[in-house]
Amino acid sequence: MLKKVLLFTFLLTLTAASITLDSSIELALKNDKRILLQEAQLQSSRSLIKESKGIYDISFVSEISYLDSTTPSTSAFVSNNTLGEKTTSYKFGFEGYLPTGTSYNFFDFGLEKSETDLGTSAMSPVWNSDLSFRVTQNLLKDFGVKVNDIKILIAKGNSEISKIEFERVVSLVILDTETKYWNTVYTKKNLELALSSLKLAEDIVKKNRIEVEVGTLPKVALLQAESEVAFRKVEHIRAENLYQNSIDVLKLSIGIPIEQNITIDSNISKKVLKKIDPNEIEAIAINNRPEVKQESIKVANSKQLVEYYSNQLLPDLDIEGLISYSGLGGSRNSNYSSAILGSPRIASKYDNGYSDSISSLESLENQTWGLGFKLRIPLNNNIAESKFEVANEEKKKRLILLDRLLDSIHLEARSSYRDVMSNIERIDASQKNLLLQEEVLYNEQARFEVGISKTRDLLEAQRDLIKAQTQYNKSLIEYNVSITSLDYALGILIKENKIVIDN
């Protein structure tokens, strides 16, 4: 909400003040859709880390079941040739998986109540309880922290890639915004020159019209001037359209409604080139470019996947340990056939129903333990072999892509530096040409005033000066953009703009 209020306040003041380069960048960083999309992608990648850690989540497992059955029977210990049984079961426990490759089931508690009218069962209902602990350890495949943590490490790597991509997008938005800003300044400057050029031609028309009327100048001179005015009006309209188009593009880029009226300062401030050793530009780019960091992480991820799928080629060899305790309790079966079987032999510690079952379980007297091994050797391990081969080739591909990226960045950094150097020379050359054309126009104007120069020569001198001014402005604009492009190529654009990206 604070962001929206600040933006609204800013928009209200735009009509009274010119928008600056800094404010353009600030608005672009707040509103550019590419940044907003990458923020969402970054949050998504962080959520995937949480998902990958889910393999170590502890689960609480519970189960309740009830069974009521009536079955026909010819046993002498049932009545009416039917056997009735009811069973109610309660189970709960904890299970999970450890980074060492250990599966566990702890505090698995079970309680079962059984009721029957079978005459051979001394107790009904019977309460059977048990408490068990089970551990299974992988000894070959999926053994150890490293192999089990690989998916988490890869998810963290991918999240880091998304974060670096966010930084790259921020740099790209800054470069894009500066380019559009300076293009808008350039088109406005051209509009001002077009208007100035038109006024100069109109002044000549006024002067020539008077001289034609008094007969000191041929009519063709007036026609030449009027033709030039018509041409320069078209140029002025064209310059106006280009300026309006460029400012609309800038407004959309920085998140300002296209119908909002804004102004932009037409002054072109020349950027300062910081001293850079040409022999170090490649090293600076390699150390700072986000693409290198991203590709390096992808290489590391591919190596980890090779290790993981190499482990998956191993046989399954598991050792399993179990220890459990049981309890018993119940009540005498009213259907017990004592006439045939005699009095039931029920120990007193088990004849008090549910409470005796729990008491005998707590005593830990009735213990069961076990130890076992399980070996599984796939005779055809095509799936694992295929995934290992794919992972190995992916690693090779990533190394090639990294090498190709380094070559590209070397070239881009050197080329960007050369562009800056050549633009410095262009500024100097275009400035000298501008001074020359100013002097030519001054002389031509003086000659025209005394009737030595022709209208055509004066108009041509004006056109040459406007062209020289345009070229000089263009050289300044392209120099400023090339400075920003160099910072982008070196991976230091965010730092140079003093932008801090938090977590």
Side-chain angles (χ1 to χ4, degrees), residues 32 40 42 133 159 162 172 185 306 323 388 396 419 452 467:
D32 194 282
L42 178 56
F133 302 84
S159 178
S162 293
L172 189 61
V185 172
V306 170
I323 184 170
F388 173 73
K396 294 178 183 177
D419 286 343
I452 300 176
K467 183 179 179 180

Side-chain angles (χ1 to χ4, degrees), residues 387-403:
K387 290 184 176 180
F388 173 73
E389 292 168 2
V390 170
N392 208 29
E393 293 304 316
E394 180 67 18
K395 183 188 74 171
K396 294 178 183 177
K397 185 179 79 172
R398 282 297 164 196
L399 289 171
I400 295 171
L401 289 173
L402 176 59
D403 191 51

